[in-house]
Amino acid sequence: MRHQPGSAALGALLVAGSLLVPVAPGAAAPDLDAMVAAVASQLRRSWNADPGTASLAWPAIEVLPAGQTPASACPGAGSAAGAAQSPALLCAASGRLLLDRSRLEKAASRHGEWGVAYWVGIGLGNAILGHRGPSRLAPAAANLQANCLAGVLIGGTGLQPAPQDPPRPDAVAAPANGAYATALAEQMGTRSQRSYALLTGLGMTELAGCSDPAMAQLAGDRVPDPALLGALATGSDRAAFNTMGVMGRRCRPLPNAPCPRRLPGFTGKK
């Protein structure tokens, strides 16, 4: 890794393109920094391969120093309930994707690389949405859309969790399920809705894409496979997940929705 001169005071790491640039040598959790760099490199390849994002600028990704939150590091972001709670925030003022070091360390300890990939994917999903201007969706549906877009980007990589022994039926959906407290459901969607949105981006549901209409339907629990949505609400209930076949699910081709999924053009079409 290459040291950037005169930047020790910043206490952060920047991921610019596929290169991890250490801004503060000796910062805590070097393993996390390496994990973020590896995840970002794969997601950037997926970003460049998708026609919906290939022409968009890739945001710089900054892992903040321990104790600093993304909302506090982004002017004007703290007033939004979701921004105040999110460990991955696309800061409109700077165009940077800010990551909460402490929160990502917890995600990595619970879910490994998959937990980090989820949050970096969420930040990139919001970066995509930022390129099209103000959202027409309610806050919950907009966050569900970011989850869905994260799934699309991740679906073009090898970042999905590997089967475990003993099996954990909730491994794929777990980061989305536990992303926010239940009290934030009105702003961020319910646990089951976030999980379903992520699986939709990965191509594992009967909902064909991440369009505005599809995400508005999901926010109202109106989906073509409601039994799966209900099973996701149980979280770690192994019987429910096995019954719905979540463990064995992979991207399934649907009409006008090949595998891996592609990003929508945001024209009201899937």
Side-chain angles (χ1 to χ4, degrees):
M1 295 189 293
R2 177 171 58 87
H3 293 301
Q4 180 178 352
S7 57
L10 295 178
L13 291 176
L14 297 179
V15 182
S18 61
L19 178 66
L20 184 68
V21 183
V23 179
D31 289 347
L32 175 67
D33 299 325
M35 189 177 291
V36 169
V39 165
S41 178
Q42 288 204 51
L43 287 172
R44 189 174 191 185
R45 287 195 292 271
S46 181
W47 176 289
N48 289 338
D50 195 296
T53 46
S55 63
L56 301 181
W58 172 262
I61 302 175
E62 181 174 346
V63 184
L64 297 173
Q68 187 174 11
T69 67
S72 68
C74 180
S79 59
Q85 297 290 331
S86 179
L89 175 66
L90 193 283
C91 184
S94 64
R96 297 175 299 161
L97 173 53
L98 305 178
L99 302 176
D100 186 313
R101 181 178 296 276
S102 299
R103 294 279 298 279
L104 258 69
E105 286 174 347
K106 291 179 181 178
S109 67
R110 292 172 181 169
H111 311 296
E113 184 182 59
W114 176 237
V116 173
Y118 170 76
W119 281 116
V120 176
I122 292 295
L124 293 174
N126 281 313
I128 294 168
L129 295 175
H131 281 284
R132 66 158 185 165
S135 175
R136 296 168 289 176
L137 295 173
N143 187 56
L144 296 178
Q145 194 167 51
N147 276 261
C148 190
L149 297 177
V152 173
L153 289 173
I154 292 170
T157 72
L159 291 169
Q160 295 183 46
Q164 296 178 337
D165 186 18
R168 285 193 47 203
D170 61 336
V172 176
N177 189 282
Y180 298 99
T182 302
L184 286 173
E186 186 174 347
Q187 291 83 26
M188 313 308 287
T190 66
R191 296 175 186 272
S192 57
Q193 289 169 352
R194 292 192 303 269
S195 298
Y196 187 99
L198 176 65
L199 294 178
T200 295
L202 292 168
M204 299 181 188
T205 76
E206 297 299 327
L207 196 62
C210 308
S211 66
D212 286 3
M215 295 299 100
Q217 290 170 20
L218 174 56
D221 287 339
R222 301 185 303 275
V223 296
D225 44 358
L228 174 59
L229 185 63
L232 291 169
T234 66
S236 60
D237 187 322
R238 178 169 296 182
F241 273 82
N242 282 342
T243 299
M244 298 313 304
V246 171
M247 278 297 290
R249 285 182 179 238
R250 291 294 182 266
C251 185
R252 56 187 66 184
L254 296 174
N256 301 317
C259 290
R261 293 289 189 261
R262 292 297 186 183
L263 297 169
F266 299 113
T267 59
K269 299 179 181 179
K270 292 180 180 178

